[in-house]
Amino acid sequence: DQQVKQNSPSLSVQEGRISILNCDYTNSMFDYFLWYKKYPAEGPTFLISISSIKDKNEDGRFTVFLNKSAKHLSLHIVPSQPGDSAVYFCAASEDFGNEKLTFGTGTRLTIIP
Amino acid sequence: DAGVIQSPRHEVTEMGQEVTLRCKPISGHNSLFWYRQTMMRGLELLIYFNNNVPIDDSGMPEDRFSAKMPNASFSTLKIQPSEPRDSAVYFCASRRGGLVYEQYFGPGTRLTVT
């Protein structure tokens, strides 16, 4: 039972445009969400997070939006840069991050120069 | 600061052999997590520790897998005996705790069982 779903295995975006990565979850107990970025042969790197008490969190070019009623979150990257090409994982946790993370299967983002 | 350290980076072994993966978490972090990444199942949590105590091992596939954390700076994941289906990348991650919820991952160990 996949509690965190990333339905798009891959996404290609032109450099300079906006990249939008999507994530859906089924467990209503999740209240903390994170995005990780992974390059080949490296471990995932933390990117940005959001608590369920917010609906938006922004950090530079990265913004995460949370729609609790739809159990959906998205990561916006603008403008997209070639270095953003990586696999992006969505993760969720209960107890505001104090519990274990459940990861989605990832979306491979390719930025086209 | 040094990040999470894992060894070995690559391991190739024959079916039936014992495999031990090692992890040194970031100093000062009080939670440690072991994950396995496969094409089919993505990143799945195997076990995690808080203050060296195992909290949740429900993700450990079967009795062939065991994990220990004898002190705050070292953990092992052991597979005995290993099988070809154990081939995957195994990640260790640590978390500071308190109000800091992000987990920091090591570079992973790529295990191939032939």
Side-chain angles (χ1 to χ4, degrees):
Chain A
D1 177 30
Q2 197 73 21
Q3 297 186 66
V4 178
K5 301 177 185 179
Q6 295 177 257
N7 292 319
S8 298
S10 62
L11 176 69
S12 294
V13 174
Q14 287 276 336
E15 182 179 358
R17 307 294 287 268
I18 184 170
S19 295
I20 300 176
L21 296 97
N22 293 304
C23 178
D24 297 294
Y25 61 97
T26 58
N27 186 345
S28 58
M29 299 297 292
F30 287 147
D31 53 22
Y32 195 77
F33 305 89
L34 307 89
W35 284 94
Y36 280 81
K37 174 180 178 179
K38 186 181 181 306
Y39 293 120
E42 294 183 12
T45 303
F46 169 72
L47 200 54
I48 192 169
S49 63
I50 188 167
S51 164
S52 61
I53 62 175
K54 294 184 173 182
D55 54 19
K56 175 182 173 181
N57 189 25
E58 193 171 350
D59 184 2
R61 296 185 298 114
F62 303 91
T63 303
V64 55
F65 294 92
L66 175 62
N67 183 333
K68 290 183 288 294
S69 61
K71 293 191 177 65
H72 177 84
L73 64 156
S74 60
L75 174 69
H76 293 211
I77 306 173
V78 57
S80 299
Q81 299 174 353
D84 296 330
S85 294
V87 177
Y88 288 78
F89 291 96
C90 169
S93 174
E94 299 181 25
D95 194 19
F96 291 101
N98 279 312
E99 281 297 321
K100 60 186 179 183
L101 295 181
T102 300
F103 282 84
T105 51
T107 297
R108 181 178 300 279
L109 175 65
T110 302
I111 304 302
I112 304 165
Chain B
D1 282 342
V4 175
I5 299 172
Q6 290 187 249
S7 63
R9 292 294 309 275
H10 297 91
E11 177 80 37
V12 180
T13 191
E14 292 184 348
M15 182 175 64
Q17 297 297 308
E18 177 179 298
V19 174
T20 299
L21 311 182
R22 296 173 176 79
C23 175
K24 177 178 169 55
I26 294 172
S27 177
H29 284 198
N30 61 16
S31 297
L32 183 139
F33 305 80
W34 282 101
Y35 291 89
R36 178 171 67 176
Q37 184 184 23
T38 61
M39 289 294 293
M40 292 297 295
R41 301 174 68 89
L43 258 175
E44 50 180 347
L45 178 69
L46 300 177
I47 184 171
Y48 80 96
F49 297 82
N50 276 351
N51 296 315
N52 313 338
V53 176
I55 301 301
D56 185 342
D57 65 354
S58 59
M60 296 286 260
E62 46 199 275
D63 291 346
R64 296 184 298 106
F65 286 69
S66 62
K68 293 182 179 179
M69 192 165 186
N71 56 61
S73 58
F74 184 65
S75 177
T76 58
L77 177 67
K78 185 177 294 187
I79 309 173
Q80 165 65 17
S82 57
E83 296 182 3
R85 59 190 167 126
D86 301 330
S87 297
V89 181
Y90 291 80
F91 290 102
C92 175
S94 68
R95 182 180 71 192
R96 184 183 302 172
L99 296 178
V100 181
Y101 307 120
E102 300 84 45
Q103 295 179 21
Y104 294 85
F105 283 74
T109 295
R110 180 173 293 278
L111 173 65
T112 303
V113 184
T114 60

